[in-house]
């Protein structure tokens, strides 16, 4: 479970994934722009970034859950070597829930309010394991028990609004893990929860997923989640991966100014009262197309003219950065700027 | 979530702890007993606090009881021309002992005819609304569940139905099918179909984009199961409300059609619309004869409308006050 990489055949391989949203009468939006990463069995990979950076679209594209109309997906997504992009609806449906599963952000709206928990859990068992009646009920009780829901037999007959937020998310995790999938994608699973519950849910995910060799993709904007759970982290910005590193390396030595900014913008208990927070300037909308230069340059404090294509003559590429790291930056942070606090 | 597992404290503290545990257990038992309530039960609870809903419900219940028990409640035979001997050209006997609302131009007891006539309104209202809702919902499920080309075809068909005014449509259908009870119900049902189809389709489209539908898809649940098991049940509450409101319209339309002579061919059978029509000819002599059935129609329609509106508010979280 440590950060040490053991070479294994990856469960999930995403290569050069591009997702383009096309609306009538509007220019196309490239939500995901050439993203590549792989997840090994038992490994937890974090996709980190602000709202709108393409992390959720990446996960939906992986699961084949994007609408077909107005969306172009290209590249390659392989689950245990099987290509998912372009696979038929039926094939994908059989894989979803069985070999790959997903946990969403808001546990209340992800559960059907008019149907009992029991029906919703047994539905997955019926769809993939052909279980019905008493067998399915027994298995459902077992699943709820495993995710730490007290008195699972009674909970089966209850409706989602009768459960607490943490319990709802547990139930959803139980449903996602019902068929011991090879890959679990968790899209900000703790965002809608209390801080105390967040920790419990993360612990649960760690225990259940890593113990069984399931590959976990953790999509989050919360660096605390990354610190507690992920082996490897991909930081995304404007549809591209801008930095990849082992968790420890990333926290100790952020190289991309955006990563550094993210780390420094987390409020600290020990920074004393009245110390101003250090946000990253501007918003995710202050960006330029990658074809014209580094998308983060307008918000970057260390950007120079050669971050732009018209000056340097080439796009900023994702290049190896020592060890297992990769970086997309021409003016990375140095040990001096990494520790000195936010570049001001 | 998990019980606090504090180690039992020393003697003095131990007693205090006991008290806390006892309180905690009591609170736990209380909240377990209260539990949560289902959507339906909370809607009923809100309905019971709403005076408008109570008025509507009282009217509807009285109407139902009268309609069901009509033969026992009617003081006289609604067909018997008891006072025919006293009816003259330009003079109809008014209310008197035994005839609280008087008699019509054929000497029949008006009160008894009103009471027995309520059955017709109830049967026609319920049957035509159920029929219209059933067909409309099937079309709505097809359009909202399958989408794409099916959606387009079904909705254009519904648009065509909607473009014809309701009463005109009902008159055309009942003329086409001949004047009888069944064709009257079918005619009214046809006018209800597009309303239900549109409503259900719209609300299914909204639910199809919901998080739980996406979550179910992410778990590999079949599309048919998602549509029927998840999307449909969550789309039903506007349909239930519309059904209540449609009952009122159906009763009014039934009266209108039989007023126009498109109802039951047996004109001696008591029916509010037909009573209204026959009272027309003696309007100058006894206007009450028209007023009574009209009032019945208005009050019953109002009752269903009030109930429907407050049901809408009770079921719709956005309307919660």
């Amino acid at each position: 479970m440590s950060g040490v990489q053991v070479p294994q055949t990856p469960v999930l391989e995403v290569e050069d994934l591009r997702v383009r949203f096309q609306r009538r009468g509007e220019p196309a939006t490239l939500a995901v722009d050439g993203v590549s990463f792989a997840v090994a069995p038992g490994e937890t990979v974090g996709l980190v970034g602000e709202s709108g950076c393409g992390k959720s679209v990446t996960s939906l594209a992986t699961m084949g859950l994007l609408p077909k109309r107005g969306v172009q997906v290209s590249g390659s997504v392989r689950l245990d070597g099987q290509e998912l992009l372009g696979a038929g609806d039926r094939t994908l449906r059989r894989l979803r829930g069985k070999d790959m599963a997903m946990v969403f952000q808001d546990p209340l709206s992800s559960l059907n309010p008019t149907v009992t928990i029991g029906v919703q859990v047994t539905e997955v068992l019926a769809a993939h394991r052909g279980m019905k009646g008493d067998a399915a009920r027994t298995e459902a009780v077992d699943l709820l028990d495993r995710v730490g829901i007290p008195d699972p037999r009674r909970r089966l007959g209850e409706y989602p609004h009768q459960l607490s937020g943490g319990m709802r998310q547990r139930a959803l995790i139980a449903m996602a893990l019902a068929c011991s999938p090879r890959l679990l994608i968790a899209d900000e699973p703790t965002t809608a929860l209390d801080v105390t519950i967040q920790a419990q849910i993360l612990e649960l995910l760690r225990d259940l997923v890593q113990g069984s060799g399931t590959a976990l993709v953790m999509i989050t904007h919360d660096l605390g989640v990354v610190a507690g759970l992920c082996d490897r982290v991909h930081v995304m910005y404007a549809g591209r991966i801008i930095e990849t590193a082992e968790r420890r390396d990333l926290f100790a030595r952020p190289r991309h100014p955006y990563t550094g900014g993210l780390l420094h913008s987390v409020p600290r208990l020990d920074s004393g009262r009245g110390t101003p927070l250090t946000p990253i300037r501007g918003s995710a909308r202050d960006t330029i197309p990658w074809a014209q230069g580094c998308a983060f340059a307008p918000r970057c404090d260390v950007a120079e003219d050669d971050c732009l294509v018209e000056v340097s003559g080439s796009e900023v590429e994702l290049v190896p950065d020592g060890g297992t790291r990769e970086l997309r930056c021409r003016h990375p942070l140095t040990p001096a700027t990494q520790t000195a606090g936010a570049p001001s | 979530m998990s019980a606090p597992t504090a180690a039992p404290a020393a003697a003095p503290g131990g007693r205090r702890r006991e008290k806390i545990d006892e309180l905690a257990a009591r609170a736990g038992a209380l909240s377990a007993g209260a539990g949560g309530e289902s959507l339906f039960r909370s809607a009923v609870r809100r309905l019971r606090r709403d005076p408008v809903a109570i008025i509507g419900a009282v009217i509807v219940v009285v109407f139902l009881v009268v309609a069901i028990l009509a033969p026992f409640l009617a003081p006289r035979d609604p067909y018997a021309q008891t006072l025919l001997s006293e009816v003259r050209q330009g003079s109809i006997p008014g209310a008197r002992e035994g005839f609280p609302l008087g008699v019509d131009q054929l000497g029949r007891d008006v009160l008894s005819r009103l009471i027995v006539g309520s059955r017709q309104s109830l049967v026609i209202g319920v049957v035509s609304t159920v029929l219209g809702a059933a067909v409309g919902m099937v079309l709505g499920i097809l359009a909202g569940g399958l989408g794409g080309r099916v959606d387009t075809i079904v909705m254009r068909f519904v648009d065509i139905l909607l473009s014809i005014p309701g009463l005109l449509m009902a008159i055309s259908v009942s003329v086409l099918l001949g004047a009888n009870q069944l064709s009257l119900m079918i005619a009214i049902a046809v006018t209800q179909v597009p309303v239900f189809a549109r409503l259900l389709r719209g609300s299914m489209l909204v639910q199809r984009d919901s998080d739980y539908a996406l979550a179910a898809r992410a778990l590999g649940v079949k599309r048919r199961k998602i549509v029927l098991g998840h999307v449909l049940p969550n789309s039903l509450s506007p349909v239930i409300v519309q059904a209540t409101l449609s009952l009122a319209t159906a009763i009014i339309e039934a009266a209108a059609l039989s007023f126009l002579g498109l109802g039951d061919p047996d004109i001696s059978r008591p029916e509010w619309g037909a009573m209204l029509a026959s009272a027309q000819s003696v309007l100058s002599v006894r206007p009450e004869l028209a007023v009574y059935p009209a009032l019945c129609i208005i009050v019953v329609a109002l009752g269903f409308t009030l109930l429907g509106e407050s049901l809408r508010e009770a079921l719709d979280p956005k309307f919660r006050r």
Side-chain angles (χ1 to χ4, degrees):
Chain A
M1 299 311 122
S2 73
V4 180
Q5 271 287 69
V6 184
Q8 273 170 308
T9 37
V11 174
L12 175 73
E13 291 167 280
V14 175
E15 254 181 59
D16 199 26
L17 180 73
R18 281 165 213 272
V19 181
R20 184 190 295 274
F21 290 101
Q22 179 77 61
R23 273 199 195 149
R24 217 180 291 168
E26 276 176 48
T29 326
L30 208 53
V32 178
D33 188 5
V35 163
S36 305
F37 64 93
V39 194
E43 192 186 22
T44 300
V45 164
L47 283 186
V48 184
E50 287 171 289
S51 313
C53 72
K55 52 196 197 303
S56 289
V57 175
T58 302
S59 66
L60 289 177
T62 304
M63 296 287 291
L65 288 172
L66 286 172
K68 290 202 187 72
R69 242 189 267 179
V71 184
Q72 292 164 18
V73 184
S74 66
S76 165
V77 175
R78 289 186 299 275
L79 181 70
D80 280 323
Q82 184 183 359
E83 179 62 53
L84 298 184
L85 292 190
D89 282 348
R90 179 173 289 227
T91 318
L92 279 176
R93 183 182 64 68
R94 290 209 176 125
L95 289 172
R96 286 197 292 256
K98 183 161 165 284
D99 292 324
M100 55 180 180
M102 194 160 169
V103 176
F104 292 90
Q105 182 173 343
D106 183 353
L108 181 56
S109 63
S110 299
L111 286 164
N112 182 345
T114 53
V115 178
T116 60
I117 300 294
V119 171
Q120 300 189 53
V121 177
T122 48
E123 191 173 54
V124 190
L125 298 172
H128 297 293
R129 289 166 68 181
M131 294 174 94
K132 274 182 195 152
D134 280 347
R137 273 191 84 75
T138 316
E139 179 68 20
V141 169
D142 201 43
L143 279 169
L144 291 189
D145 191 43
R146 224 164 51 188
V147 294
I149 291 182
D151 200 358
R153 206 165 287 278
R154 186 169 68 114
R155 296 295 175 198
L156 281 188
E158 293 193 342
Y159 290 88
H161 69 275
Q162 291 171 280
L163 269 60
S164 68
M167 260 201 271
R168 283 178 212 137
Q169 194 59 294
R170 280 169 197 265
L172 282 163
I173 291 172
M175 287 156 70
L177 295 179
C179 305
S180 314
R182 302 273 295 140
L183 169 71
L184 178 68
I185 301 178
D187 190 351
E188 311 214 8
T190 57
T191 309
L193 302 174
D194 281 355
V195 179
T196 44
I197 310 296
Q198 285 184 8
Q200 292 173 4
I201 294 294
L202 291 179
E203 205 171 312
L204 177 71
L205 279 175
R206 185 166 52 205
D207 293 351
L208 290 174
V209 169
Q210 299 184 336
S212 63
T214 300
L216 175 62
V217 176
M218 196 75 193
I219 292 170
T220 182
H221 62 256
D222 184 346
L223 290 166
V225 171
V226 174
L229 203 62
C230 299
D231 301 319
R232 205 173 163 69
V233 184
H234 301 278
V235 183
M236 284 185 76
Y237 192 82
R240 290 194 181 180
I241 291 176
I242 55 161
E243 183 165 16
T244 294
E246 305 295 330
R247 182 231 308 168
R248 257 173 236 284
D249 286 352
L250 189 86
F251 278 87
R253 292 179 294 117
R255 293 275 286 160
H256 198 288
Y258 176 64
T259 316
L262 277 183
L263 288 174
H264 285 294
S265 63
V266 177
R268 297 179 64 106
L269 275 178
D270 55 6
S271 61
R273 280 183 70 163
T275 314
L277 299 175
T278 46
I280 303 175
R281 284 193 290 126
S283 76
R285 269 172 301 172
D286 307 328
T287 181
I288 54 175
W290 284 106
Q292 290 175 20
C294 173
F296 184 61
R299 303 171 66 188
C300 184
D301 289 308
V302 296
E304 288 177 29
D305 280 350
D306 65 344
C307 295
L308 300 175
V309 172
E310 58 178 286
V311 176
S312 67
S314 62
E315 279 190 31
V316 190
E317 300 291 340
L318 189 67
V319 292
D321 186 39
T324 53
R325 302 186 69 146
E326 284 178 307
L327 180 66
R328 190 192 293 274
C329 184
R330 293 219 168 98
H331 302 283
L333 301 180
T334 59
T337 46
Q338 281 158 6
T339 45
S344 54
Chain B
M1 199 125 292
S2 58
T5 48
R15 281 198 62 169
R16 226 174 286 152
R17 183 77 234 166
E18 255 172 51
K19 198 87 179 184
I20 294 172
D21 286 343
E22 192 192 309
L23 279 174
R26 218 184 293 159
L30 249 175
S31 69
E37 49 184 3
S38 72
L39 251 68
F40 177 71
R41 215 180 280 171
S42 81
V44 169
R45 186 173 48 81
R46 277 201 297 283
L47 273 183
R48 277 170 44 183
R49 288 213 209 106
D50 183 358
V52 176
I54 293 172
I55 295 170
V58 166
I59 294 173
V60 167
V61 166
V62 167
F63 168 63
L64 289 179
V65 168
V66 166
I68 290 164
L69 300 178
F72 308 103
L73 290 178
R76 293 176 179 278
D77 179 359
Y79 295 96
Q81 300 179 315
T82 333
L83 289 184
L84 190 57
S85 52
E86 293 181 34
V87 177
R88 308 236 147 59
Q89 181 79 30
S91 130
I92 299 170
R96 61 163 69 173
E97 184 84 45
F99 300 85
L101 297 181
V103 295
D104 63 6
Q105 67 263 48
L106 294 174
R108 298 173 296 197
D109 180 33
V110 171
L111 179 63
S112 304
R113 287 184 71 75
L114 283 179
I115 290 174
V116 175
S118 65
R119 301 194 120 185
Q120 291 299 310
S121 295
L122 177 69
V123 168
I124 293 172
V126 169
V127 171
S128 58
T129 302
V130 166
L131 209 64
V135 176
M137 280 171 67
V138 168
L139 291 179
I141 292 171
L142 281 177
L146 295 176
R149 199 166 301 164
V150 181
D151 185 18
T152 311
I153 292 169
V154 169
M155 290 327 285
R156 288 306 80 77
F157 172 67
V158 167
D159 284 343
I160 292 170
L161 285 184
L162 264 182
S163 68
I164 306 167
L167 196 59
L168 184 66
M169 166 81 93
I171 292 171
S172 322
V173 171
S174 66
V175 167
L176 216 67
L177 297 176
N180 60 57
Q181 199 90 47
L182 184 67
S183 73
L184 184 74
M185 292 191 244
I186 294 175
I188 296 169
V190 169
T191 66
Q192 313 269 27
V193 164
V195 180
F196 284 105
R198 280 213 147 181
L199 200 64
L200 187 60
R201 169 188 176 263
S203 113
M204 282 179 82
L205 283 189
V206 173
Q207 297 298 332
R208 227 166 49 155
D209 284 337
S210 64
D211 284 353
Y212 62 81
L214 180 69
R217 280 212 302 142
L219 288 168
V221 180
K222 286 181 187 152
R223 188 162 84 158
R224 184 160 44 93
K225 264 195 136 171
I226 294 176
V227 168
L228 295 179
H230 293 280
V231 174
L232 182 61
N234 283 290
S235 312
L236 280 182
S237 67
V239 173
I240 295 169
V241 171
Q242 182 58 43
T244 324
L245 296 173
S246 285
L247 267 169
T249 337
I251 288 169
I252 294 173
E253 276 187 18
L257 287 178
S258 52
F259 177 84
L260 294 172
L262 292 166
D264 202 316
D266 175 14
I267 50 164
S268 68
R269 181 183 288 191
E271 205 280 336
W272 294 345
M275 287 169 74
L276 203 57
S278 67
Q280 212 184 358
S281 56
V282 290
L283 208 55
S284 55
V285 187
R286 280 254 167 249
E288 306 98 287
L289 290 184
V291 170
Y292 297 139
L295 263 183
C296 287
I297 295 167
I298 291 169
V299 170
V300 169
L302 181 72
F304 278 109
T305 308
L306 291 181
L307 189 64
E309 288 292 350
S310 38
L311 200 62
R312 187 212 303 277
E313 282 175 27
L315 286 172
D316 188 342
K318 272 175 290 184
F319 272 98
R320 260 176 224 182
R321 284 183 288 193

